[in-house]
Amino acid sequence: MTTLVLGIFGHRSDAILAIEDLRKSGIKKKHISAVAKQKNTLELISHDTGIGRAESGAGNEGLFGTARELGVGLDMINDTAVSAGPAARKLAGADLEGDGLAVSLIGMGIPEADALKYAEHAEMEHIIVIVDIEEDQRGQISEIMEQHHAIPLAAAE
């Protein structure tokens, strides 16, 4: 049976190193996703690790995307999540300030209380790495994330 293990990182370099070590441990890139608030951060992570193109959701490209970014900068509209990897279609474009990202995470099987905290971390510009693995690999994956300074979930409080 597969399960999701999530790690929260405050710095792009920590997330990249964690993903590289996950890959070295045998986790295929098709089982690794990442979500963040800042598109440029996730584009660099995606480029450096090969986990897939950073996606920002439908309609967030081109002229509309530029207008949207201006609206976000002026606090006229909410910011949305950027995601890469197999979970990108489920998470990209999810509202960060409302419950959009939390609802998307709940839809992936994350308990509601945890999903709300992960969404808070994303809003604080932390990077969330999501790994879809077999249950017996949970300890190994958690250890790799901890070695690269994963932030405890409760730190959002």
Side-chain angles (χ1 to χ4, degrees), residues 47-114:
H47 177 267
D48 290 351
T49 63
I51 61 171
R53 189 172 82 81
E55 297 183 32
S56 55
N60 285 342
E61 300 294 329
L63 183 59
F64 180 74
T66 302
R68 183 173 208 311
E69 288 175 16
L70 285 171
V72 168
L74 295 171
D75 288 330
M76 295 169 58
I77 55 177
N78 292 339
D79 210 350
T80 57
V82 181
S83 185
R89 288 196 173 93
K90 293 180 183 177
L91 300 175
D95 183 5
L96 287 173
E97 294 176 23
D99 61 358
L101 181 58
V103 168
S104 297
L105 290 169
I106 292 166
M108 294 174 63
I110 305 299
E112 182 178 358
D114 291 350

Side-chain angles (χ1 to χ4, degrees), residues 32-155:
I32 303 171
S33 300
V35 65
K37 181 176 182 176
Q38 296 182 327
K39 186 174 182 180
N40 61 341
T41 297
L42 202 55
E43 286 175 339
L44 291 168
I45 291 169
S46 176
H47 177 267
D48 290 351
T49 63
I51 61 171
R53 189 172 82 81
E55 297 183 32
S56 55
N60 285 342
E61 300 294 329
L63 183 59
F64 180 74
T66 302
R68 183 173 208 311
E69 288 175 16
L70 285 171
V72 168
L74 295 171
D75 288 330
M76 295 169 58
I77 55 177
N78 292 339
D79 210 350
T80 57
V82 181
S83 185
R89 288 196 173 93
K90 293 180 183 177
L91 300 175
D95 183 5
L96 287 173
E97 294 176 23
D99 61 358
L101 181 58
V103 168
S104 297
L105 290 169
I106 292 166
M108 294 174 63
I110 305 299
E112 182 178 358
D114 291 350
L116 291 167
K117 288 180 185 174
Y118 284 116
E120 286 179 41
H121 278 284
E123 177 59 28
M124 296 179 342
E125 299 186 7
H126 292 157
I127 302 147
I128 302 168
V129 175
I130 305 167
V131 186
D132 183 15
I133 48 119
E134 293 297 323
E135 181 66 40
D136 63 345
Q137 295 174 295
R138 178 183 285 280
Q140 174 191 10
I141 301 311
S142 295
E143 186 176 305
I144 289 171
M145 290 191 182
E146 288 173 16
Q147 289 172 353
H148 294 288
H149 313 290
I151 298 168
L153 182 59

